[in-house]
Short mmCIF file of all heavy atoms in Angstrom, two decimals:
data_model
loop_
_atom_site.label_atom_id
_atom_site.label_comp_id
_atom_site.label_asym_id
_atom_site.label_seq_id
_atom_site.Cartn_x
_atom_site.Cartn_y
_atom_site.Cartn_z
N ASN A 627 5.75 8.62 2.04
CA ASN A 627 4.85 7.92 2.90
C ASN A 627 3.58 8.74 2.92
O ASN A 627 3.64 9.93 3.26
CB ASN A 627 5.38 7.77 4.31
CG ASN A 627 6.63 6.92 4.36
OD1 ASN A 627 6.62 5.68 4.14
ND2 ASN A 627 7.77 7.60 4.60
N ALA A 628 2.41 8.15 2.60
CA ALA A 628 1.20 8.87 2.59
C ALA A 628 0.09 8.04 3.25
O ALA A 628 0.04 6.80 3.05
CB ALA A 628 0.78 9.18 1.18
N VAL A 629 -0.76 8.64 4.06
CA VAL A 629 -1.90 8.01 4.68
C VAL A 629 -3.15 8.77 4.23
O VAL A 629 -3.31 9.98 4.58
CB VAL A 629 -1.81 7.97 6.20
CG1 VAL A 629 -3.02 7.29 6.81
CG2 VAL A 629 -0.52 7.23 6.63
N PHE A 630 -4.06 8.11 3.58
CA PHE A 630 -5.31 8.64 3.10
C PHE A 630 -6.48 8.13 4.01
O PHE A 630 -6.54 6.97 4.37
CB PHE A 630 -5.62 8.20 1.67
CG PHE A 630 -4.81 8.92 0.61
CD1 PHE A 630 -3.60 8.33 0.22
CD2 PHE A 630 -5.23 10.04 0.00
CE1 PHE A 630 -2.83 8.94 -0.77
CE2 PHE A 630 -4.51 10.63 -0.98
CZ PHE A 630 -3.26 10.10 -1.38
N GLU A 631 -7.35 9.05 4.35
CA GLU A 631 -8.62 8.67 4.97
C GLU A 631 -9.65 8.56 3.86
O GLU A 631 -9.73 9.46 2.95
CB GLU A 631 -9.05 9.68 5.97
CG GLU A 631 -10.43 9.34 6.65
CD GLU A 631 -10.97 10.40 7.57
OE1 GLU A 631 -10.17 11.38 7.84
OE2 GLU A 631 -12.12 10.30 8.00
N PHE A 632 -10.53 7.55 3.93
CA PHE A 632 -11.56 7.40 2.93
C PHE A 632 -12.94 7.56 3.68
O PHE A 632 -13.07 7.40 4.85
CB PHE A 632 -11.49 5.99 2.30
CG PHE A 632 -10.58 5.94 1.12
CD1 PHE A 632 -9.20 6.07 1.26
CD2 PHE A 632 -11.05 5.76 -0.19
CE1 PHE A 632 -8.34 6.03 0.18
CE2 PHE A 632 -10.23 5.75 -1.27
CZ PHE A 632 -8.86 5.89 -1.10
N GLU A 633 -13.98 7.79 2.83
CA GLU A 633 -15.36 7.83 3.35
C GLU A 633 -15.63 6.51 4.10
O GLU A 633 -15.30 5.43 3.63
CB GLU A 633 -16.32 8.00 2.22
CG GLU A 633 -16.22 9.33 1.43
CD GLU A 633 -17.06 9.35 0.22
OE1 GLU A 633 -17.57 8.30 -0.20
OE2 GLU A 633 -17.19 10.48 -0.39
N GLY A 634 -16.26 6.68 5.22
CA GLY A 634 -16.55 5.47 5.96
C GLY A 634 -15.48 5.12 7.04
O GLY A 634 -15.63 4.20 7.81
N GLY A 635 -14.37 5.83 6.92
CA GLY A 635 -13.28 5.68 7.94
C GLY A 635 -12.13 4.80 7.58
O GLY A 635 -11.17 4.66 8.32
N ALA A 636 -12.17 4.10 6.43
CA ALA A 636 -11.02 3.23 6.06
C ALA A 636 -9.81 4.11 5.81
O ALA A 636 -9.92 5.27 5.45
CB ALA A 636 -11.41 2.45 4.76
N ARG A 637 -8.64 3.52 6.08
CA ARG A 637 -7.40 4.18 5.79
C ARG A 637 -6.61 3.39 4.74
O ARG A 637 -6.56 2.17 4.71
CB ARG A 637 -6.56 4.22 7.11
CG ARG A 637 -7.21 4.99 8.22
CD ARG A 637 -7.38 6.50 7.85
NE ARG A 637 -7.60 7.31 9.03
CZ ARG A 637 -8.79 7.53 9.52
NH1 ARG A 637 -9.87 6.98 9.00
NH2 ARG A 637 -8.93 8.35 10.60
N PHE A 638 -5.87 4.17 3.92
CA PHE A 638 -4.95 3.61 2.89
C PHE A 638 -3.59 4.20 3.18
O PHE A 638 -3.42 5.41 3.12
CB PHE A 638 -5.44 3.92 1.46
CG PHE A 638 -4.37 3.71 0.44
CD1 PHE A 638 -3.82 2.46 0.28
CD2 PHE A 638 -3.96 4.75 -0.41
CE1 PHE A 638 -2.76 2.24 -0.68
CE2 PHE A 638 -2.98 4.56 -1.40
CZ PHE A 638 -2.43 3.33 -1.53
N SER A 639 -2.60 3.35 3.41
CA SER A 639 -1.24 3.80 3.59
C SER A 639 -0.37 3.36 2.45
O SER A 639 -0.36 2.13 2.08
CB SER A 639 -0.65 3.24 4.91
OG SER A 639 -0.66 1.90 4.94
N PHE A 640 0.40 4.26 1.90
CA PHE A 640 1.30 4.03 0.81
C PHE A 640 2.73 4.39 1.24
O PHE A 640 2.97 5.44 1.78
CB PHE A 640 0.91 4.88 -0.41
CG PHE A 640 1.96 4.90 -1.51
CD1 PHE A 640 1.94 3.86 -2.44
CD2 PHE A 640 2.91 5.89 -1.64
CE1 PHE A 640 2.90 3.82 -3.50
CE2 PHE A 640 3.84 5.86 -2.65
CZ PHE A 640 3.84 4.87 -3.56
N THR A 641 3.63 3.40 1.07
CA THR A 641 5.00 3.62 1.37
C THR A 641 5.82 3.23 0.12
O THR A 641 5.67 2.10 -0.34
CB THR A 641 5.54 2.75 2.55
OG1 THR A 641 4.75 3.09 3.70
CG2 THR A 641 6.97 3.01 2.81
N GLY A 642 6.57 4.16 -0.42
CA GLY A 642 7.21 3.82 -1.70
C GLY A 642 8.56 4.57 -1.91
O GLY A 642 8.85 5.58 -1.28
N SER A 643 9.30 3.99 -2.84
CA SER A 643 10.60 4.59 -3.22
C SER A 643 10.95 4.22 -4.62
O SER A 643 10.73 3.09 -5.02
CB SER A 643 11.76 4.21 -2.23
OG SER A 643 12.99 4.58 -2.70
N TRP A 644 11.49 5.12 -5.38
CA TRP A 644 12.01 4.83 -6.70
C TRP A 644 13.55 4.79 -6.70
O TRP A 644 14.18 4.73 -7.73
CB TRP A 644 11.55 5.89 -7.68
CG TRP A 644 10.52 5.38 -8.69
CD1 TRP A 644 10.04 4.09 -8.72
CD2 TRP A 644 9.90 6.10 -9.65
NE1 TRP A 644 9.13 4.00 -9.70
CE2 TRP A 644 9.03 5.22 -10.35
CE3 TRP A 644 9.92 7.44 -10.13
CZ2 TRP A 644 8.20 5.58 -11.39
CZ3 TRP A 644 9.14 7.79 -11.18
CH2 TRP A 644 8.28 6.94 -11.79
N CYS A 645 14.15 4.75 -5.51
CA CYS A 645 15.61 4.56 -5.43
C CYS A 645 15.95 3.54 -4.37
O CYS A 645 16.72 3.82 -3.45
CB CYS A 645 16.31 5.90 -5.20
SG CYS A 645 15.74 6.81 -3.75
N SER A 646 15.30 2.39 -4.49
CA SER A 646 15.48 1.29 -3.48
C SER A 646 15.97 0.02 -4.15
O SER A 646 15.14 -0.85 -4.37
CB SER A 646 14.12 1.07 -2.77
OG SER A 646 14.23 0.13 -1.76
N PRO A 647 17.23 -0.10 -4.45
CA PRO A 647 17.77 -1.29 -5.11
C PRO A 647 17.75 -2.50 -4.20
O PRO A 647 18.00 -2.38 -2.96
CB PRO A 647 19.16 -0.85 -5.52
CG PRO A 647 19.56 0.18 -4.49
CD PRO A 647 18.26 0.95 -4.16
N GLY A 648 17.48 -3.62 -4.78
CA GLY A 648 17.50 -4.85 -4.01
C GLY A 648 16.15 -5.24 -3.47
O GLY A 648 15.43 -4.40 -2.92
N LEU A 649 15.77 -6.51 -3.65
CA LEU A 649 14.48 -7.07 -3.11
C LEU A 649 13.30 -6.14 -3.54
O LEU A 649 12.44 -5.81 -2.71
CB LEU A 649 14.51 -7.21 -1.60
CG LEU A 649 15.56 -8.19 -1.07
CD1 LEU A 649 15.58 -8.18 0.45
CD2 LEU A 649 15.35 -9.58 -1.63
N GLU A 650 13.29 -5.79 -4.80
CA GLU A 650 12.27 -4.89 -5.26
C GLU A 650 10.92 -5.51 -5.30
O GLU A 650 10.78 -6.75 -5.43
CB GLU A 650 12.64 -4.35 -6.67
CG GLU A 650 13.92 -3.54 -6.70
CD GLU A 650 14.25 -2.97 -8.08
OE1 GLU A 650 13.42 -3.11 -9.02
OE2 GLU A 650 15.39 -2.47 -8.24
N THR A 651 9.87 -4.70 -5.17
CA THR A 651 8.49 -5.17 -5.25
C THR A 651 8.06 -5.28 -6.71
O THR A 651 8.75 -4.81 -7.61
CB THR A 651 7.51 -4.25 -4.55
OG1 THR A 651 7.50 -2.97 -5.20
CG2 THR A 651 7.90 -4.05 -3.10
N SER A 652 6.89 -5.77 -6.94
CA SER A 652 6.22 -5.70 -8.26
C SER A 652 6.00 -4.23 -8.66
O SER A 652 5.89 -3.38 -7.74
CB SER A 652 4.90 -6.38 -8.18
OG SER A 652 4.04 -6.05 -9.25
N TRP A 653 5.84 -3.93 -9.92
CA TRP A 653 5.51 -2.65 -10.29
C TRP A 653 4.06 -2.30 -9.85
O TRP A 653 3.71 -1.12 -9.76
CB TRP A 653 5.55 -2.53 -11.88
CG TRP A 653 6.90 -2.21 -12.34
CD1 TRP A 653 7.81 -3.12 -12.92
CD2 TRP A 653 7.61 -0.93 -12.34
NE1 TRP A 653 8.99 -2.49 -13.23
CE2 TRP A 653 8.84 -1.11 -12.90
CE3 TRP A 653 7.21 0.33 -11.97
CZ2 TRP A 653 9.79 -0.07 -13.06
CZ3 TRP A 653 8.12 1.39 -12.05
CH2 TRP A 653 9.41 1.12 -12.67
N ASN A 654 3.28 -3.29 -9.48
CA ASN A 654 1.96 -3.04 -8.97
C ASN A 654 2.06 -2.76 -7.43
O ASN A 654 1.00 -2.34 -6.84
CB ASN A 654 1.05 -4.25 -9.17
CG ASN A 654 0.67 -4.37 -10.64
OD1 ASN A 654 0.40 -3.44 -11.28
ND2 ASN A 654 0.72 -5.60 -11.15
N GLY A 655 3.14 -3.04 -6.84
CA GLY A 655 3.25 -2.89 -5.36
C GLY A 655 2.88 -4.14 -4.65
O GLY A 655 2.42 -5.13 -5.24
N ARG A 656 3.06 -4.19 -3.35
CA ARG A 656 2.64 -5.30 -2.51
C ARG A 656 1.54 -4.81 -1.56
O ARG A 656 1.68 -3.86 -0.83
CB ARG A 656 3.87 -5.76 -1.65
CG ARG A 656 3.62 -6.96 -0.82
CD ARG A 656 4.95 -7.59 -0.33
NE ARG A 656 5.79 -6.60 0.38
CZ ARG A 656 7.06 -6.26 0.05
NH1 ARG A 656 7.62 -6.91 -1.03
NH2 ARG A 656 7.75 -5.42 0.69
N TRP A 657 0.44 -5.60 -1.60
CA TRP A 657 -0.83 -5.13 -0.96
C TRP A 657 -1.25 -6.01 0.20
O TRP A 657 -1.12 -7.19 0.19
CB TRP A 657 -1.93 -5.12 -2.05
CG TRP A 657 -1.74 -4.06 -3.08
CD1 TRP A 657 -0.92 -4.17 -4.15
CD2 TRP A 657 -2.29 -2.80 -3.11
NE1 TRP A 657 -0.94 -3.04 -4.86
CE2 TRP A 657 -1.78 -2.15 -4.30
CE3 TRP A 657 -3.17 -2.05 -2.34
CZ2 TRP A 657 -2.20 -0.88 -4.64
CZ3 TRP A 657 -3.57 -0.79 -2.65
CH2 TRP A 657 -3.07 -0.20 -3.85
N ARG A 658 -1.93 -5.32 1.16
CA ARG A 658 -2.54 -6.04 2.29
C ARG A 658 -3.82 -5.29 2.54
O ARG A 658 -3.91 -4.08 2.75
CB ARG A 658 -1.74 -5.99 3.55
CG ARG A 658 -2.32 -6.74 4.75
CD ARG A 658 -1.52 -6.62 5.98
NE ARG A 658 -2.03 -7.42 7.08
CZ ARG A 658 -1.63 -8.64 7.40
NH1 ARG A 658 -0.64 -9.22 6.70
NH2 ARG A 658 -2.19 -9.32 8.38
N VAL A 659 -4.95 -6.05 2.55
CA VAL A 659 -6.31 -5.48 2.83
C VAL A 659 -6.83 -6.20 4.08
O VAL A 659 -6.93 -7.42 4.13
CB VAL A 659 -7.27 -5.65 1.65
CG1 VAL A 659 -8.72 -5.27 2.04
CG2 VAL A 659 -6.81 -4.88 0.45
N SER A 660 -7.22 -5.38 5.08
CA SER A 660 -7.72 -5.94 6.30
C SER A 660 -9.19 -5.51 6.50
O SER A 660 -9.50 -4.29 6.39
CB SER A 660 -6.95 -5.48 7.56
OG SER A 660 -7.48 -6.02 8.76
N ALA A 661 -10.11 -6.45 6.64
CA ALA A 661 -11.53 -6.19 6.75
C ALA A 661 -12.08 -6.83 8.01
O ALA A 661 -11.36 -7.59 8.68
CB ALA A 661 -12.26 -6.66 5.51
N ASP A 662 -13.34 -6.57 8.32
CA ASP A 662 -13.89 -7.17 9.51
C ASP A 662 -14.01 -8.63 9.47
O ASP A 662 -14.18 -9.31 10.50
CB ASP A 662 -15.23 -6.54 9.91
CG ASP A 662 -16.29 -6.64 8.87
OD1 ASP A 662 -16.05 -7.27 7.81
OD2 ASP A 662 -17.39 -6.13 9.09
N GLY A 663 -13.96 -9.20 8.29
CA GLY A 663 -14.16 -10.63 8.08
C GLY A 663 -12.87 -11.40 7.73
O GLY A 663 -12.87 -12.59 7.45
N GLY A 664 -11.68 -10.67 7.73
CA GLY A 664 -10.46 -11.33 7.38
C GLY A 664 -9.50 -10.49 6.70
O GLY A 664 -9.65 -9.24 6.64
N THR A 665 -8.44 -11.08 6.13
CA THR A 665 -7.34 -10.38 5.50
C THR A 665 -6.99 -10.96 4.20
O THR A 665 -7.02 -12.22 4.03
CB THR A 665 -6.12 -10.33 6.45
OG1 THR A 665 -6.45 -9.60 7.58
CG2 THR A 665 -4.90 -9.70 5.79
N ALA A 666 -6.58 -10.13 3.22
CA ALA A 666 -6.18 -10.62 1.83
C ALA A 666 -4.86 -9.97 1.54
O ALA A 666 -4.63 -8.77 1.79
CB ALA A 666 -7.23 -10.30 0.81
N LEU A 667 -3.95 -10.77 0.94
CA LEU A 667 -2.65 -10.32 0.56
C LEU A 667 -2.43 -10.59 -0.98
O LEU A 667 -2.87 -11.53 -1.51
CB LEU A 667 -1.51 -11.06 1.32
CG LEU A 667 -1.55 -11.11 2.81
CD1 LEU A 667 -0.43 -11.97 3.35
CD2 LEU A 667 -1.45 -9.68 3.39
#
């Protein structure tokens, strides 16, 4: 689990595992972006 701070104050959180069988995500991961004007998944 990692939380990065970016310039301007944005945060990026990464949660991952390479030993998590069942209901696996894409190799690209599953993304959520929240901005002041809305959200994108």
Side-chain angles (χ1 to χ4, degrees):
N627 298 287
V629 178
F630 287 88
E631 178 186 353
F632 275 69
E633 293 170 351
R637 298 298 196 273
F638 165 57
S639 61
F640 170 83
T641 301
S643 171
W644 251 359
C645 55
S646 183
L649 299 176
E650 296 181 11
T651 66
S652 162
W653 277 101
N654 290 316
R656 183 167 54 237
W657 292 81
R658 181 184 185 97
V659 173
S660 180
D662 60 359
T665 295
L667 306 177

